Coordinates of all heavy atoms in Angstrom, one line a residue:
V83 N -32.9 19.2 -20.6 CA -31.8 19.3 -21.6 C -32.0 20.5 -22.5 O -31.1 21.3 -22.8 CB -31.5 18.2 -22.3 CG1 -30.6 18.3 -23.5 CG2 -31.2 17.0 -21.5
A86 N -31.2 23.7 -20.7 CA -29.8 23.7 -20.5 C -29.0 24.2 -21.7 O -27.9 24.9 -21.6 CB -29.2 22.3 -20.0
I87 N -29.4 23.7 -22.8 CA -28.8 24.3 -24.1 C -28.8 25.7 -24.2 O -27.8 26.5 -24.5 CB -29.5 23.6 -25.4 CG1 -29.0 22.0 -25.5 CG2 -28.8 24.4 -26.7 CD1 -29.8 21.4 -26.4
G88 N -29.9 26.4 -23.8 CA -30.0 27.9 -23.8 C -29.1 28.4 -22.7 O -28.5 29.4 -23.0
F89 N -29.2 27.8 -21.5 CA -28.4 28.3 -20.5 C -26.8 28.3 -20.8 O -26.1 29.2 -20.5 CB -28.5 27.5 -19.2 CG -29.9 27.6 -18.5 CD1 -30.5 26.7 -17.9 CD2 -30.4 29.0 -18.5 CE1 -31.7 26.8 -17.2 CE2 -31.7 29.2 -17.9 CZ -32.3 28.2 -17.2
K90 N -26.5 27.3 -21.6 CA -25.0 27.2 -22.0 C -24.6 28.5 -22.9 O -23.3 28.7 -23.0 CB -24.7 25.9 -22.8 CG -24.7 24.7 -21.8 CD -23.5 24.7 -20.9 CE -23.3 23.5 -20.1 NZ -22.2 23.5 -19.2
M91 N -25.6 29.0 -23.6 CA -25.3 30.1 -24.4 C -25.7 31.4 -23.6 O -25.6 32.5 -24.3 CB -26.1 29.9 -25.6 CG -25.9 31.0 -26.8 SD -24.3 31.2 -27.4 CE -24.3 32.9 -27.8
N92 N -25.9 31.3 -22.5 CA -26.4 32.3 -21.5 C -27.8 33.0 -22.0 O -28.0 34.2 -21.9 CB -25.3 33.5 -21.5 CG -25.3 34.3 -20.3 OD1 -26.0 33.9 -19.3 ND2 -24.7 35.5 -20.3
L93 N -28.6 32.1 -22.6 CA -29.9 32.5 -23.0 C -30.9 31.8 -22.2 O -30.8 30.6 -21.8 CB -30.3 32.0 -24.4 CG -29.4 32.7 -25.5 CD1 -29.7 32.0 -26.8 CD2 -29.7 34.1 -25.6
Y230 N -26.4 15.5 -26.2 CA -26.0 16.8 -25.5 C -24.6 16.7 -24.9 O -23.8 17.7 -25.1 CB -27.1 16.9 -24.4 CG -26.9 18.1 -23.5 CD1 -26.7 19.4 -23.9 CD2 -26.6 17.9 -22.1 CE1 -26.5 20.6 -23.1 CE2 -26.4 19.1 -21.3 CZ -26.4 20.3 -21.7 OH -26.2 21.4 -21.0
L233 N -22.2 16.8 -28.0 CA -22.2 18.0 -28.6 C -21.4 19.1 -27.8 O -20.5 19.8 -28.4 CB -23.6 18.5 -28.6 CG -23.8 20.0 -29.3 CD1 -23.6 19.9 -30.8 CD2 -25.2 20.6 -29.0
L234 N -21.5 19.1 -26.5 CA -20.8 20.1 -25.7 C -19.4 19.8 -25.5 O -18.5 20.6 -25.5 CB -21.4 20.2 -24.4 CG -22.8 20.9 -24.3 CD1 -23.3 21.0 -22.8 CD2 -22.8 22.3 -24.9
N235 N -18.9 18.4 -25.4 CA -17.6 18.2 -24.9 C -16.7 17.6 -26.1 O -15.5 17.4 -25.8 CB -17.7 17.2 -23.8 CG -18.4 17.7 -22.6 OD1 -17.9 18.6 -22.0 ND2 -19.6 17.2 -22.4
T237 N -17.2 18.5 -29.7 CA -17.4 19.1 -30.9 C -16.9 20.6 -30.8 O -16.9 21.1 -29.7 CB -18.8 19.1 -31.5 OG1 -19.6 19.9 -30.6 CG2 -19.4 17.7 -31.5
I238 N -16.4 21.1 -32.0 CA -16.0 22.5 -32.0 C -17.2 23.4 -31.6 O -17.1 24.5 -30.9 CB -15.4 22.9 -33.5 CG1 -14.2 22.0 -33.5 CG2 -15.1 24.3 -33.5 CD1 -13.6 22.2 -34.9
F239 N -18.3 23.1 -32.4 CA -19.6 23.8 -32.0 C -19.9 24.0 -30.6 O -20.2 25.0 -29.9 CB -20.8 23.3 -32.8 CG -22.1 24.0 -32.5 CD1 -22.4 25.1 -33.0 CD2 -23.0 23.4 -31.5 CE1 -23.6 25.8 -32.6 CE2 -24.1 24.1 -31.1 CZ -24.4 25.2 -31.7
G240 N -19.7 22.9 -29.8 CA -20.0 22.8 -28.3 C -19.1 23.8 -27.6 O -19.5 24.4 -26.7
F241 N -17.8 23.8 -28.0 CA -16.8 24.7 -27.4 C -17.2 26.1 -27.5 O -17.1 26.9 -26.8 CB -15.3 24.3 -27.9 CG -14.3 25.1 -27.5 CD1 -13.8 25.1 -26.3 CD2 -13.9 26.2 -28.3 CE1 -12.8 26.0 -25.8 CE2 -12.9 27.1 -27.9 CZ -12.3 27.0 -26.6
E242 N -17.5 26.3 -28.9 CA -17.8 27.8 -29.3 C -19.1 28.2 -28.5 O -19.2 29.4 -28.1 CB -18.0 27.8 -30.8 CG -16.6 27.7 -31.6 CD -17.0 27.8 -33.1 OE1 -18.1 27.7 -33.5 OE2 -15.9 28.0 -33.8
L243 N -20.0 27.3 -28.3 CA -21.3 27.6 -27.6 C -21.1 27.9 -26.2 O -21.4 29.0 -25.8 CB -22.2 26.4 -27.6 CG -23.7 26.6 -27.0 CD1 -24.5 27.4 -27.9 CD2 -24.2 25.2 -26.9
Q244 N -20.2 27.1 -25.6 CA -19.9 27.4 -24.1 C -19.0 28.7 -24.0 O -19.2 29.5 -23.1 CB -19.2 26.2 -23.5 CG -20.0 25.0 -23.5 CD -19.4 23.8 -22.8 OE1 -19.3 23.9 -21.6 NE2 -18.8 22.8 -23.6
A245 N -18.2 29.0 -25.0 CA -17.2 30.1 -25.0 C -18.1 31.3 -25.1 O -17.9 32.4 -24.5 CB -16.1 30.0 -26.0
S246 N -19.1 31.3 -26.0 CA -19.9 32.5 -26.3 C -20.8 32.8 -25.1 O -21.0 33.9 -24.7 CB -20.8 32.2 -27.5 OG -20.0 31.9 -28.6
G247 N -21.2 31.7 -24.3 CA -22.1 31.9 -23.1 C -21.3 32.4 -22.0 O -21.7 33.3 -21.3
A248 N -19.9 31.9 -21.8 CA -19.1 32.4 -20.7 C -18.6 33.8 -20.9 O -18.6 34.5 -20.0 CB -18.0 31.3 -20.7
N249 N -18.2 34.1 -22.1 CA -17.7 35.4 -22.4 C -17.8 35.8 -23.8 O -17.0 35.5 -24.6 CB -16.1 35.5 -22.0 CG -15.6 36.8 -21.9 OD1 -16.1 37.8 -22.6 ND2 -14.5 37.1 -21.2
P250 N -19.0 36.4 -24.2 CA -19.2 36.7 -25.5 C -18.3 37.7 -26.3 O -18.0 37.5 -27.5 CB -20.6 37.4 -25.5 CG -20.8 37.8 -24.1 CD -20.0 36.8 -23.2
A253 N -15.2 35.5 -27.1 CA -15.6 34.6 -28.2 C -15.6 35.4 -29.5 O -15.1 34.9 -30.5 CB -16.8 33.9 -27.9
V258 N -15.7 33.9 -33.2 CA -17.1 33.3 -33.1 C -18.1 34.2 -33.3 O -18.3 35.2 -32.6 CB -17.2 32.5 -31.7 CG1 -18.5 31.7 -31.5 CG2 -16.0 31.5 -31.4
P259 N -19.1 34.1 -34.3 CA -20.2 35.1 -34.5 C -21.2 34.9 -33.5 O -21.9 33.9 -33.4 CB -20.6 34.7 -35.9 CG -20.2 33.1 -36.1 CD -19.0 33.0 -35.3
P260 N -21.5 35.8 -32.6 CA -22.4 35.8 -31.5 C -23.8 35.6 -32.0 O -24.7 34.8 -31.4 CB -22.2 37.0 -30.8 CG -21.7 38.1 -31.7 CD -20.8 37.2 -32.7
R262 N -25.0 34.2 -34.9 CA -25.2 32.8 -35.4 C -25.3 31.9 -34.3 O -26.1 30.9 -34.2 CB -24.1 32.4 -36.3 CG -24.3 31.2 -37.1 CD -23.1 30.7 -37.9 NE -22.1 30.2 -37.0 CZ -20.9 29.9 -37.5 NH1 -20.5 30.1 -38.7 NH2 -20.0 29.4 -36.6
M263 N -24.4 32.0 -33.2 CA -24.4 31.0 -32.1 C -25.7 31.1 -31.3 O -26.3 30.0 -30.9 CB -23.2 31.3 -31.1 CG -21.9 31.0 -31.8 SD -21.7 29.4 -32.4 CE -21.9 28.4 -31.0
A264 N -26.1 32.3 -31.1 CA -27.4 32.5 -30.3 C -28.7 31.8 -31.0 O -29.4 31.2 -30.5 CB -27.6 34.0 -30.0
L265 N -28.6 32.1 -32.5 CA -29.8 31.6 -33.1 C -29.7 30.1 -33.2 O -30.7 29.4 -33.1 CB -29.8 32.2 -34.6 CG -30.9 31.8 -35.5 CD1 -32.3 32.2 -34.8 CD2 -30.8 32.4 -36.9
T266 N -28.5 29.5 -33.3 CA -28.3 28.1 -33.5 C -28.8 27.4 -32.1 O -29.4 26.4 -32.1 CB -27.0 27.7 -33.8 OG1 -26.7 28.4 -35.0 CG2 -26.8 26.2 -34.0
A267 N -28.3 28.2 -31.0 CA -28.7 27.5 -29.8 C -30.2 27.6 -29.5 O -30.7 26.6 -29.0 CB -28.0 28.3 -28.7
M268 N -30.9 28.7 -29.9 CA -32.3 28.7 -29.8 C -32.9 27.6 -30.6 O -33.9 26.9 -30.1 CB -32.9 30.0 -30.2 CG -32.6 31.1 -29.1 SD -33.3 30.8 -27.6 CE -35.1 31.0 -27.8
L269 N -32.5 27.3 -31.9 CA -33.1 26.3 -32.7 C -32.8 24.9 -32.1 O -33.8 24.1 -32.1 CB -32.4 26.4 -34.1 CG -32.8 27.6 -34.9 CD1 -31.9 27.7 -36.3 CD2 -34.3 27.5 -35.4
L270 N -31.6 24.6 -31.6 CA -31.4 23.4 -31.0 C -32.1 23.2 -29.7 O -32.7 22.0 -29.6 CB -29.9 23.3 -30.6 CG -28.8 22.8 -31.6 CD1 -27.4 22.9 -31.1 CD2 -29.2 21.4 -31.9
S271 N -32.4 24.2 -28.9 CA -33.1 24.1 -27.7 C -34.5 23.8 -28.1 O -35.3 22.9 -27.4 CB -33.0 25.4 -26.9 OG -33.6 25.3 -25.7

Side-chain angles (χ1 to χ4, degrees):
V83 172
I87 292 175
F89 286 146
K90 284 294 183 182
M91 183 58 206
N92 209 17
L93 293 172
Y230 175 60
L233 179 75
L234 289 183
N235 301 293
T237 66
I238 296 175
F239 172 79
F241 174 78
E242 292 179 346
L243 182 73
Q244 297 186 75
S246 298
N249 193 331
V258 180
R262 192 188 72 185
M263 294 305 299
L265 184 56
T266 307
M268 286 299 290
L269 289 171
L270 269 176
S271 179

